[in-house]
Amino acid sequence: MRRAADPPRRVEPSPPARTVEVRRSTRRRRTVSAYREGDRTIVLIPARMSQAEEQRWVAVMLDKLAAQESKRMLGDDELTERAERLSGQYLDGRARPATVRWVTNQNTRWGSCTPAEGSIRLSHRLQGMPEYVIDYVLLHELAHLLVPGHGPEFWRLLEPYPRTERARGYLEGVVAADRLPHLPAARRR
């Protein structure tokens, strides 16, 4: 086990993420926190945590920070710019939507696409989620401009995006959490 006096260890997440610095503290007992400092993310954890716990908490805190940062609402113009960037980066610029916008009438799906019109709509429920999740849903809908169904050709288009599985897992977790019974406020801790 490392002591608080040991130099901080650097953990490099998958590009293009920032450098993550984990700082252990003997005074910290239970809490974990994280913040941005320039081009680095600092994660503060108790010194007693195992490597597995550290890795899990680093992932949790990175997702939490990303969600906080994406809470600033992207407008439709920013969504359009993002769609153009994603199409260029992952689909060789072949997917060219006519419109990309947020909608509030999609409560059972994350996004939708009408290839004949070239329109993409993202559910307002995505707002506040990590950017990689929004990018995945946007890229998913862009792929539908090229391939309407969910066959093998469609999924091949999404293979280059490195966080597809993570984003899908995140969205599945959100759906699962919504299905859990909710305790009355007085019984929550």
Side-chain angles (χ1 to χ4, degrees):
M1 182 178 285
R2 296 178 46 214
R3 284 184 234 115
D6 291 343
R9 192 165 34 78
R10 296 194 185 282
V11 178
E12 295 292 335
S14 59
R18 307 166 188 232
T19 300
V20 176
E21 183 178 312
V22 177
R23 295 181 184 167
R24 290 177 174 264
S25 168
T26 54
R27 294 178 63 191
R28 187 174 284 269
R29 297 288 178 211
R30 288 181 286 206
T31 61
V32 176
S33 61
Y35 60 93
R36 304 282 194 208
E37 186 177 88
D39 64 344
R40 297 179 304 155
T41 301
I42 311 299
V43 181
L44 307 169
I45 65 172
R48 65 169 173 70
M49 276 194 181
S50 69
Q51 287 297 112
E53 289 175 309
E54 174 183 316
Q55 288 177 345
R56 183 177 70 80
W57 276 105
V58 165
V60 165
M61 297 312 288
L62 289 176
D63 285 347
K64 192 173 188 174
L65 282 174
Q68 289 170 355
E69 290 166 352
S70 70
K71 277 195 175 148
R72 67 172 184 82
M73 187 168 143
L74 296 172
D76 292 347
D77 291 340
E78 288 97 349
L79 274 183
T80 301
E81 290 171 16
R82 201 173 200 156
E84 290 170 3
R85 179 181 53 80
L86 289 166
S87 177
Q89 187 173 357
Y90 297 106
L91 303 171
D92 299 321
R94 294 180 296 141
R96 295 188 184 115
T99 61
V100 182
R101 61 191 176 94
W102 294 107
V103 294
T104 57
N105 64 348
Q106 290 186 358
N107 294 314
T108 59
R109 53 175 67 186
W110 299 112
S112 62
C113 172
T114 307
E117 297 174 5
S119 63
I120 292 176
R121 294 159 306 280
L122 296 186
S123 172
H124 72 285
R125 296 179 307 134
L126 289 166
Q127 293 170 345
M129 289 189 187
E131 289 186 16
Y132 73 90
V133 175
I134 296 170
D135 283 351
Y136 164 73
V137 174
L138 194 48
L139 187 60
H140 182 107
E141 300 309 328
L142 285 165
H144 279 308
L145 292 176
L146 305 174
V147 178
H150 287 105
E153 184 183 356
F154 172 83
W155 293 110
R156 270 194 294 280
L157 290 174
L158 294 179
E159 283 176 1
Y161 185 64
R163 299 183 109 180
T164 293
E165 289 306 313
R166 186 171 185 183
R168 291 184 71 186
Y170 185 98
L171 293 170
E172 287 172 11
V174 169
V175 169
D178 285 345
R179 292 182 181 149
L180 292 174
H182 296 284
L183 293 174
R187 294 187 56 196
R188 286 187 200 150
R189 286 188 174 201

